Amino acid sequence: MTKRPRHRDQMDLLDWRPASPVAAYVPERVKASTVARMLSKAVSETLKACGRSRADVAKAMTDYLGEAVTENVLNAYASESRDDLIISITRLDALLGVTKDRRLLELLAARHGWAVIERRHLPAIEMAELLETRAEMDRAIEFQRRLLKAGGNQ
């Protein structure tokens, strides 16, 4: 059987991979000796990936917060060597709001065994939890059924 030629824009189902519900940095890009340095690397990665200039991001963060955020301060947040200036939670929130890069949150959540996902995935997770609970109950019911068949003596 000969294989039919495929159109170059046509996807092969075997090549398809679902998108991950968790957005994360490439681990090697944010690996650091301290949490502060890891966060600095993450800020730097986010600024590189957002498609905007740092001056534009600083202006947008200023508008978001209603307080001045300069490009120089943003550069310091993204610099591993600036241990004296670590981004605050309110400015991290502004950076999230401006860049929409949830990898910043995922970086911190993953350290605690959690994941940051879009809310649209919550019903699927709840369904999976319910199915797991039902499977546990089915096993318990089957165990009790076997006990009853055996005369209830255990």
Side-chain angles (χ1 to χ4, degrees), residues 22-32 38 41-42 45-46 101 103 106-107:
V22 176
Y25 297 106
V26 174
E28 298 79 34
R29 304 286 299 159
V30 292
K31 188 175 181 179
M38 181 179 64
K41 285 184 170 190
E45 287 294 308
T46 289
D101 191 347
R103 296 179 303 168
E106 176 60 28
L107 180 73

Side-chain angles (χ1 to χ4, degrees), residues 59-67 90 93-98 100:
K59 168 80 170 82
M61 287 176 66
T62 295
D63 295 343
Y64 185 94
L65 289 172
E67 66 180 53
T90 54
D93 178 55
L95 185 59
L96 286 164
V98 169
K100 308 292 187 239

Side-chain angles (χ1 to χ4, degrees), residues 2 11 17 19 33 57 59-60 65 78 134 136 139:
T2 60
M11 257 182 80
R17 298 280 182 263
S33 58
V57 171
K59 168 80 170 82
L65 289 172
R134 182 169 74 181
E136 289 171 13
R139 285 190 295 275

Side-chain angles (χ1 to χ4, degrees), residues 114-129:
W114 304 325
V116 176
I117 60 162
E118 293 179 32
R119 296 192 83 67
R120 67 186 176 93
H121 294 296
L122 290 177
I125 292 169
E126 186 174 342
M127 174 68 85
E129 288 175 338

Side-chain angles (χ1 to χ4, degrees), residues 51-125:
R52 299 166 79 173
S53 71
R54 289 188 180 191
D56 185 37
V57 171
K59 168 80 170 82
M61 287 176 66
T62 295
D63 295 343
Y64 185 94
L65 289 172
E67 66 180 53
V69 178
T70 66
E71 183 180 359
N72 287 339
V73 167
L74 203 53
N75 288 335
Y77 292 153
S79 173
E80 254 191 289
S81 63
R82 290 292 306 267
D83 288 335
D84 60 322
L85 197 56
I86 300 168
I87 193 166
S88 69
I89 192 72
T90 54
R91 290 192 173 188
L92 182 65
D93 178 55
L95 185 59
L96 286 164
V98 169
T99 64
K100 308 292 187 239
D101 191 347
R102 63 186 162 112
R103 296 179 303 168
L104 290 161
L105 288 176
E106 176 60 28
L107 180 73
L108 298 173
R111 294 173 41 78
H112 301 282
W114 304 325
V116 176
I117 60 162
E118 293 179 32
R119 296 192 83 67
R120 67 186 176 93
H121 294 296
L122 290 177
I125 292 169

